[in-house]
Amino acid sequence: MSNYNKSDHLLLLIQTLSKSEKRNFKLYASRIKRNKCAKFMKLFEIMSKINSYDEKKILKNAPISKMQLSNVKANLYKQILISLKLQHTEENHDIQIREYLDFAKILYNKGLYIQSLKLLGKAKVIARCYEHNTILLELVEFEKMIESQHITRSLYSRSGELSAESKELIERIQCNNALSSLSLELYGLYLKVGYVRNEKDKIFIETYFRTNLPKFDIDKLSFYEKLFLYQAQVWYHYIRQDFIMCYRSSYKWVELFQNHTKEKKIAPVSYLKGYHYLLDTLFYLNHYSKFTNVLKKFEKEVKNGEILINGNTRILIFMYTYTNRINKHYMEGSFSEGVKKVIPSLFMDFKKISNRLDSHYIMVLYYKIACLYFGSGDHEKAILYLSKIMENKKKNLRQDLQCIARLLHLIACYESGLDENMDQKIQSAYRFFIQMDDWYIVQKKIIYFFKNLGNVYPHQIKGQFKKLRDKLIKYYDHPYEKRTFLYLDIISWLNSKIENKSVEVIIKEKFIKTNPQK
């Protein structure tokens, strides 16, 4: 499951084309007879049949010289994009609006002002309907320019109406922009650092949220303003580990789409993200019955085609389906069943989209897979996927996940007997925690435990596990230290060593106690 080499953008674009898109491109390109034998068409045929970029193979099979290749590739890339734009204009209302605006400008330049205004009117209807306020403002400004510079026989009051409309749009865009920027900044902070680590982090995030949240009346907010508000609230509560409040905001996020079914097709990525964070918070709250009900609804909507499938949504559906299926097995303690039921299909589907997954998604996926293997007792497979996370060179991405992966790596190495270089591994983990400024009580106690384990006699080991468990359990509900337990069920592992049971049995027994009807 290695990441894809993204060295050639043209090949990647061609690989994402569906059969209908390829067919449509050929029809579009061959509308001009001479294009049938054009060099860019020959290049398209060759690149459609290869899986990895091979310049020598392309030059050997195409009537293109090495000097021409760069220009032919650029032309082909442009022609494919034009074809896709023409094919998907009706699905993308902003493209449709832009097209009307382009036509209106052409008519205006020809002096056909009335016709230009009519097209602007059509574009404004669509823009209002789908809340494309930024484009709508551009349409209004163009309309104002025509009305102010030319006699169009419009009503005298039209200038006042346009000025009022422009002012209202500017205010709405400012509110929308403030909420969307806040949401984006909070999400960026989460991707970089993860959960709050100390009082300093907590004060920073609370101050940032409070000072950047604009004043609003919830009843007057538009669909997208509410969406950005709920998103910002989710990231804020998520970073603070307030999962009850996070659940409430993510529930409102999903409910917003379910009350505006039209927007499901327009903004499917946002709808999917809302579903994922609703499931994620239920997982952290350990609310199994609600979690399974929401997961069933999510998978049913995907299966019934209620969610638009495109390049973006296909990736998110893959990620959210598999991470939450794995989470369900975590909650049940059914790790071995998860390995059998989830992993084979996960790998098959991964191959289809691996070239479009970013580092963040891949790291999350590797960690989920590693935990599933660890819980099932296959520690060597767990080590394999944890090593992939540790080898990631993007140290500023998900620092929390990279740190926790190193702790689980130490545990998996100990369990598998691959502990011949344990001191070196402990030292490496220690240095990484210091480097990432993530050296807190729980991490310290786990690292020191492994560091001193070599000095303990075999008959004393169980006692040492008990001591570590008693020390760590005090921090299980600590506002900052508890974040380690969100990623790693270290208490269940310690109980497994104390009781001479597998991790799977320990978690399964705990699940049955809290869900006796299951």
Side-chain angles (χ1 to χ4, degrees):
M1 294 176 69
S2 59
N3 198 3
Y4 180 77
N5 179 7
K6 300 178 181 178
S7 61
D8 192 83
H9 299 296
L10 175 59
L11 179 62
L12 183 56
L13 175 62
I14 292 170
Q15 288 176 336
T16 63
L17 297 177
S18 65
K19 287 182 179 178
S20 66
E21 286 170 340
K22 287 181 178 179
R23 183 170 60 250
N24 189 72
F25 170 70
K26 289 177 182 177
L27 290 170
Y28 161 76
S30 61
R31 74 196 188 286
I32 300 172
K33 286 185 178 180
R34 68 172 182 273
N35 280 352
K36 289 181 181 179
C37 300
K39 290 179 179 180
F40 76 87
M41 284 300 293
K42 294 289 185 184
L43 181 62
F44 177 76
E45 293 295 338
I46 293 165
M47 293 189 75
S48 295
K49 295 172 184 176
I50 59 177
N51 296 318
S52 58
Y53 187 73
D54 186 340
E55 190 171 291
K56 288 181 180 178
K57 188 175 181 180
I58 290 168
L59 292 172
K60 184 181 177 182
N61 291 282
I64 304 167
S65 69
K66 189 175 179 66
M67 289 181 66
Q68 293 174 322
L69 184 59
S70 179
N71 287 335
V72 176
K73 282 173 66 179
N75 185 31
L76 175 57
Y77 193 90
K78 180 183 175 182
Q79 296 299 330
I80 292 172
L81 289 179
I82 294 170
S83 171
L84 289 171
K85 178 187 171 184
L86 292 171
Q87 186 176 357
H88 297 293
T89 296
E90 289 185 11
E91 299 167 20
N92 296 278
H93 300 97
D94 51 341
I95 294 177
Q96 200 173 348
I97 296 163
R98 288 284 177 196
E99 191 174 70
Y100 276 132
L101 178 58
D102 292 343
F103 291 157
K105 285 181 177 177
I106 291 167
L107 291 169
Y108 169 77
N109 290 334
K110 287 190 166 294
L112 302 171
Y113 310 130
I114 301 298
Q115 291 182 44
S116 180
L117 286 170
K118 281 184 178 180
L119 281 182
L120 288 175
K122 288 181 180 180
K124 284 171 69 179
V125 170
I126 302 168
R128 282 198 198 96
C129 181
Y130 296 102
E131 294 186 31
H132 293 301
N133 291 328
T134 306
I135 306 177
L136 182 55
L137 180 61
E138 189 177 346
L139 295 169
V140 171
E141 291 301 313
F142 187 37
E143 197 174 1
K144 279 166 65 179
M145 189 268 289
I146 297 174
E147 293 283 5
S148 66
Q149 293 187 17
H150 305 281
I151 299 170
T152 60
R153 298 181 185 177
S154 298
L155 293 173
Y156 178 75
S157 61
R158 187 69 187 130
S159 59
E161 289 173 9
L162 287 171
S163 295
E165 189 177 2
S166 178
K167 185 180 177 182
E168 183 188 343
L169 279 169
I170 290 168
E171 289 173 359
R172 191 166 285 283
I173 288 167
Q174 285 175 339
C175 180
N176 194 307
N177 184 60
L179 289 168
S180 64
S181 295
L182 177 60
S183 171
L184 182 64
E185 289 292 333
L186 290 170
Y187 184 56
L189 282 169
Y190 169 67
L191 287 183
K192 185 177 185 298
V193 180
Y195 303 114
V196 289
R197 300 167 294 179
N198 48 44
E199 190 69 18
K200 183 182 174 183
D201 282 359
K202 181 175 180 283
I203 292 168
F204 170 77
I205 202 71
E206 288 178 351
T207 305
Y208 184 86
F209 182 77
R210 195 167 52 249
T211 54
N212 287 279
L213 185 68
K215 291 181 181 179
F216 61 87
D217 179 345
I218 191 70
D219 295 324
K220 292 181 180 179
L221 293 183
S222 67
F223 171 84
Y224 283 103
E225 287 165 339
K226 286 180 181 176
L227 174 61
F228 293 134
L229 172 64
Y230 298 148
Q231 285 179 349
Q233 288 174 341
V234 165
W235 309 140
Y236 172 64
H237 297 310
Y238 205 79
I239 293 168
R240 291 170 62 249
Q241 301 172 63
D242 187 345
F243 293 114
I244 291 174
M245 290 303 295
C246 191
Y247 166 75
R248 290 174 184 172
S249 297
S250 57
Y251 182 84
K252 288 178 184 176
W253 180 346
V254 173
E255 188 180 44
L256 179 68
F257 275 95
Q258 291 174 345
N259 292 334
H260 297 78
T261 52
K262 178 182 70 177
E263 272 73 16
K264 283 187 188 181
K265 298 289 185 183
I266 300 166
V269 167
S270 294
Y271 183 46
L272 287 167
K273 282 183 176 288
Y275 243 131
H276 172 64
Y277 282 97
L278 178 58
L279 285 162
D280 221 32
T281 50
L282 287 170
F283 170 66
Y284 286 130
L285 290 168
N286 200 29
H287 205 309
Y288 180 78
S289 58
K290 276 189 178 178
F291 176 89
T292 51
N293 286 336
V294 173
L295 182 57
K296 283 177 185 175
K297 286 179 184 176
F298 170 71
E299 292 190 334
K300 186 179 178 183
E301 284 196 42
V302 172
K303 187 178 179 181
N304 293 345
E306 294 176 49
I307 298 171
L308 180 71
I309 303 296
N310 59 29
N312 289 325
T313 58
R314 194 171 284 112
I315 290 169
L316 294 180
I317 288 168
F318 165 79
M319 280 299 302
Y320 299 160
T321 298
Y322 282 109
T323 53
N324 285 297
R325 282 178 184 174
I326 291 172
N327 283 346
K328 183 173 180 286
H329 288 291
Y330 288 177
M331 296 168 88
E332 296 170 346
S334 54
F335 297 96
S336 298
E337 182 186 340
V339 168
K340 290 178 184 175
K341 286 188 173 181
V342 178
I343 296 298
S345 59
L346 186 155
F347 285 171
M348 284 178 63
D349 290 342
F350 179 87
K351 287 177 183 177
K352 298 173 187 175
I353 61 165
S354 61
N355 54 359
R356 282 169 282 158
L357 281 176
D358 64 29
S359 296
H360 167 67
Y361 286 142
I362 290 172
M363 282 176 66
V364 171
L365 200 60
Y366 284 163
Y367 188 75
K368 290 291 181 186
I369 293 168
C371 288
L372 199 59
Y373 276 124
F374 181 84
S376 72
D378 192 340
H379 301 113
E380 290 188 10
K381 282 278 181 66
I383 290 167
L384 173 66
Y385 289 100
L386 292 168
S387 297
K388 290 176 183 289
I389 298 171
M390 292 161 62
E391 289 162 8
N392 193 302
K393 294 178 181 178
K394 295 183 179 180
K395 296 289 190 273
N396 63 338
L397 181 66
R398 289 306 301 270
Q399 293 172 8
D400 55 339
L401 197 60
Q402 294 196 52
C403 288
I404 297 299
R406 280 161 173 79
L407 284 184
L408 185 56
H409 184 260
L410 289 178
I411 296 169
C413 287
Y414 172 79
E415 286 285 28
S416 64
L418 299 172
D419 54 359
E420 63 275 4
N421 298 317
M422 204 64 175
D423 288 340
Q424 188 180 337
K425 290 168 185 172
I426 292 166
Q427 194 63 27
S428 175
Y430 167 77
R431 283 198 301 268
F432 190 83
F433 281 116
I434 296 295
Q435 183 187 348
M436 293 295 109
D437 191 23
D438 204 342
W439 189 231
Y440 294 96
I441 296 171
V442 172
Q443 288 95 318
K444 284 179 183 177
K445 291 191 180 296
I446 296 169
I447 292 288
Y448 289 152
F449 169 78
F450 279 109
K451 194 174 181 180
N452 298 323
L453 203 57
N455 302 322
V456 177
Y457 291 107
H459 68 277
Q460 297 175 321
I461 287 179
K462 188 175 284 190
Q464 292 300 311
F465 280 116
K466 285 180 182 177
K467 283 182 183 179
L468 179 61
R469 181 190 63 183
D470 294 341
K471 287 176 184 176
L472 294 184
I473 212 158
K474 295 174 186 176
Y475 299 98
Y476 198 77
D477 292 315
H478 190 279
Y480 309 120
E481 296 293 341
K482 69 179 181 181
R483 67 194 181 94
T484 303
F485 302 107
L486 295 174
Y487 295 108
L488 184 61
D489 193 349
I490 187 77
I491 303 299
S492 290
W493 174 68
L494 292 169
N495 284 334
S496 76
K497 304 308 292 180
I498 294 163
E499 299 177 30
N500 290 322
K501 296 177 180 178
S502 68
V503 170
E504 187 162 23
V505 168
I506 292 289
I507 296 177
K508 199 173 283 184
E509 287 176 351
K510 186 168 64 175
F511 171 74
I512 291 168
K513 282 180 185 177
T514 54
N515 299 272
Q517 73 279 14
K518 303 298 174 188

